[in-house]
């Protein structure tokens, strides 16, 4: 099924890119959503089954895939509303829809990948597709946000690649060259600790660009602000979950070695620094979208504290990323309505929203309350 999904997605994305018919373009996205849910149901039914050697339907991948598939539906609907309200031309609409499909598919494949190199490949694909969405408005701010995102993500991908090389050297000590997470876990007691330590530092640092964690948290701030709100919803939720998957799967391998306490120190330190940075910036920022972007850094800091704690902290971390994905994406979706009323992103110019949109105001209120409850 994963093979059909990937090939079908590629065909839909390429067709959407060259298509200029509005109705046909939206129909292609609808077809993709059907494929997305078929893959999700298939993965749920075939729990712990491996396909195409490099993909496995494990519990973590399935639960995050379900989350993504749920968020993808309103993301597509709000994207259509956004495109129609802004009267986008045929070419701009085609690029947006094609990039949207490719982004969701790459995240899905990254969730299900059981090989660290394959996860790395699909993480890079998310960078390329997300960049097209960030640059959607084709203005100076969009160009700056895209340039920063591509530059930082390029560095992060390089870090992950170097980490994979170090991991290969560590695995040679165990007499194996299979970089699947299952094999790494099975050979964890035979991995060379020196090379494994280096691998963890580079891979962890690289994936923090997607997760939104110190030190490479800056990649997503401008991106989430300048991208259209429906695309920003994906960047601020399910894409961050891909960064979590990349770190968490490898962290489990390291946790089964004598480097556990050292890894906990690394992860815990990055988490505390992320909480500090997010708190400082959230007190200064008045742009609503940027404030929500920094809020994501705070949430991911809490998630990684759960990972560093271990035990039941793992379950708490996974639950947190799922709830965060639903709440944060909902807040970004509602921003479209808020901006349509006030034509402003500053918190000083969006007061008395209940007067103009009582339902939307309730969504925002519940979203902020839920966001606070998640942290407590």
């Amino acid at each position: 099924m994963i093979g059909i999904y990937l090939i079908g997605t590629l065909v839909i994305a390429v067709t959407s890119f060259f298509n200029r018919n509005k109705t046909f373009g939206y129909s292609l996205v609808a077809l993709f959503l059907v494929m997305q849910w078929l893959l999700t149901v298939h993965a749920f039914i075939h729990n712990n089954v491996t396909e195409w050697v490099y993909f496995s339907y494990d519990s973590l991948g399935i639960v995050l895939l379900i989350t993504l598939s749920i968020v993808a539906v309103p993301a597509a609907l709000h994207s259509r509303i956004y495109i129609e309200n802004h009267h986008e031309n045929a070419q701009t609409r085609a690029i947006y829809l094609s990039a949207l499909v490719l982004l969701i598919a790459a995240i899905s494949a990254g969730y299900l990948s059981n090989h660290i190199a394959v996860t790395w490949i699909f993480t890079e694909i998310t960078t390329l597709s997300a960049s097209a969405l960030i640059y959607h408005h084709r203005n100076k701010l969009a160009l700056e946000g895209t340039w920063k995102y591509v530059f930082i993500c390029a560095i992060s991908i390089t870090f992950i690649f170097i980490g994979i090389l170090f991991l290969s050297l560590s695995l040679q000590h165990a007499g194996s060259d299979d970089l699947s997470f299952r094999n790494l876990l099975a050979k964890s007691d035979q991995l060379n600790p020196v090379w494994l330590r280096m691998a963890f530092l580079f891979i962890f640092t690289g994936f923090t660009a997607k997760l939104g964690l110190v030190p490479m948290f800056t990649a997503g701030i401008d991106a989430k602000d300048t991208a259209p709100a429906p695309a920003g919803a994906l960047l601020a939720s399910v894409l961050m979950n891909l960064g979590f998957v990349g770190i968490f799967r490898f962290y489990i391998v390291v946790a089964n070695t004598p480097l556990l306490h050292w890894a906990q120190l690394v992860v815990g330190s990055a988490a505390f620094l992320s909480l500090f940075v997010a708190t400082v910036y959230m007190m200064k920022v008045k742009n609503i979208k940027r404030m929500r972007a920094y809020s994501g850094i705070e949430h991911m800091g809490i998630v990684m504290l759960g990972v560093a704690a271990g035990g039941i902290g793992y379950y708490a971390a996974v639950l947190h990323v799922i709830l965060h994905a639903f709440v944060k994406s909902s807040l970004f979706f509602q921003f479209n309505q808020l901006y349509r009323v006030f034509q402003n992103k500053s918190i000083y110019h969006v007061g008395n929203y209940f007067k103009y949109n009582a339902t939307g105001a309730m969504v925002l209120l519940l979203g902020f309350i839920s966001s606070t409850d998640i942290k407590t």
Side-chain angles (χ1 to χ4, degrees):
M1 179 63 192
I2 187 68
I4 298 174
Y5 172 79
L6 292 176
I7 295 172
T9 295
L10 182 60
V11 172
I12 291 175
V14 172
T15 305
S16 298
F17 183 83
F18 291 105
N19 170 64
R20 294 297 180 266
N21 182 276
K22 182 190 301 185
T23 303
F24 185 58
Y26 293 142
S27 299
L28 287 173
V29 175
L31 176 62
F32 168 73
L33 291 177
V34 172
M35 291 181 56
Q36 180 71 26
W37 271 102
L38 287 175
L39 174 66
T40 304
V41 173
H42 177 82
F44 182 79
I45 295 174
H46 295 82
N47 188 20
N48 292 323
V49 173
T50 298
E51 288 186 0
W52 270 31
V53 181
Y54 300 113
F55 300 93
S56 180
Y57 305 126
D58 65 342
S59 299
L60 177 63
I62 291 173
V63 72
L64 292 181
L65 182 63
I66 293 173
T67 304
L68 169 59
S69 298
I70 293 173
V71 173
V73 175
L77 292 175
H78 279 272
S79 292
R80 177 172 182 171
I81 295 172
Y82 183 90
I83 290 172
E84 294 300 319
N85 287 339
H86 286 77
H87 307 290
E88 307 285 2
N89 60 54
Q91 181 180 5
T92 303
R93 180 181 64 247
I95 294 174
Y96 180 96
L97 295 179
S98 177
L100 182 71
V101 167
L102 197 60
L103 176 63
I104 296 173
I107 296 173
S108 300
Y111 287 167
L112 300 176
S113 168
N114 66 1
H115 193 286
I116 191 166
V118 177
T119 304
W120 172 74
I121 291 171
F122 283 104
T123 301
E124 174 61 9
I125 294 175
T126 64
T127 298
L128 299 176
S129 53
S131 299
L133 296 172
I134 299 167
Y135 190 55
H136 179 74
H137 293 301
R138 307 292 193 275
N139 55 32
K140 182 179 179 181
L141 290 178
L143 177 62
E144 181 181 354
T146 305
W147 180 85
K148 287 181 180 179
Y149 186 76
V150 172
F151 179 75
I152 296 174
C153 286
I155 296 175
S156 73
I157 287 297
T158 303
F159 272 41
I160 297 173
F161 180 73
I162 295 173
I164 292 174
L165 295 180
F166 284 135
L167 183 58
S168 298
L169 294 174
S170 178
L171 190 58
Q172 284 181 0
H173 188 265
S176 176
D177 59 359
D178 181 6
L179 289 174
S180 67
F181 292 111
R182 183 171 300 176
N183 184 63
L184 289 171
L185 193 58
K187 303 282 187 180
S188 59
D189 59 336
Q190 304 175 46
L191 297 175
N192 185 299
V194 176
W195 293 120
L196 183 61
R197 192 188 298 262
M198 295 294 293
F200 182 78
L201 284 176
F202 276 91
I203 291 174
F204 174 78
T205 302
F207 276 114
T208 57
K210 297 297 181 183
L211 181 62
L213 202 72
V214 168
M216 306 193 78
F217 67 93
T218 54
I221 302 300
D222 287 334
K224 296 162 190 172
D225 181 28
T226 57
L234 297 176
L235 301 181
S237 57
V238 290
L239 182 57
M240 297 179 79
N241 291 356
L242 178 59
F244 171 77
V245 167
I247 291 174
F248 184 71
R249 291 194 192 280
F250 188 42
Y251 178 85
I252 294 299
V253 175
V254 178
N256 283 271
T257 71
L259 298 180
L260 169 60
H261 297 300
W262 171 81
Q264 288 176 321
L265 179 62
V266 173
V267 173
S269 298
F272 274 117
L273 287 173
S274 299
L275 289 171
F276 174 76
V277 168
T279 301
V280 171
Y281 277 99
M282 284 179 67
M283 293 176 64
K284 297 173 60 177
V285 172
K286 307 306 176 186
N287 180 321
I288 295 177
K289 290 179 75 176
R290 293 183 73 87
M291 185 181 295
R292 291 172 185 169
Y294 280 113
S295 172
I297 298 173
E298 180 188 12
H299 278 281
M300 292 306 109
I302 296 173
V303 166
M304 296 315 293
L305 283 179
V307 172
I312 197 172
Y314 293 158
Y315 297 97
V318 173
L319 178 62
H320 196 116
V321 296
I322 294 170
L323 296 178
H324 173 263
F326 288 134
V327 173
K328 191 56 63 67
S329 60
S330 299
L331 289 172
F332 269 86
F333 292 145
Q334 183 55 218
F335 176 79
N336 266 345
Q337 318 302 323
L338 185 72
Y339 189 81
R340 188 155 59 240
V341 172
F342 296 102
Q343 295 295 307
N344 203 298
K345 295 191 287 187
S346 172
I347 60 174
Y348 294 122
H349 298 88
V350 295
N352 200 19
Y353 188 42
F354 273 99
K355 176 181 177 181
Y356 304 98
N357 186 355
T359 304
M362 285 300 300
V363 171
L364 286 179
L365 180 60
L366 291 174
F368 282 123
I369 293 174
S370 300
S371 180
T372 305
D373 287 344
I374 289 174
K375 287 180 280 191
T376 56

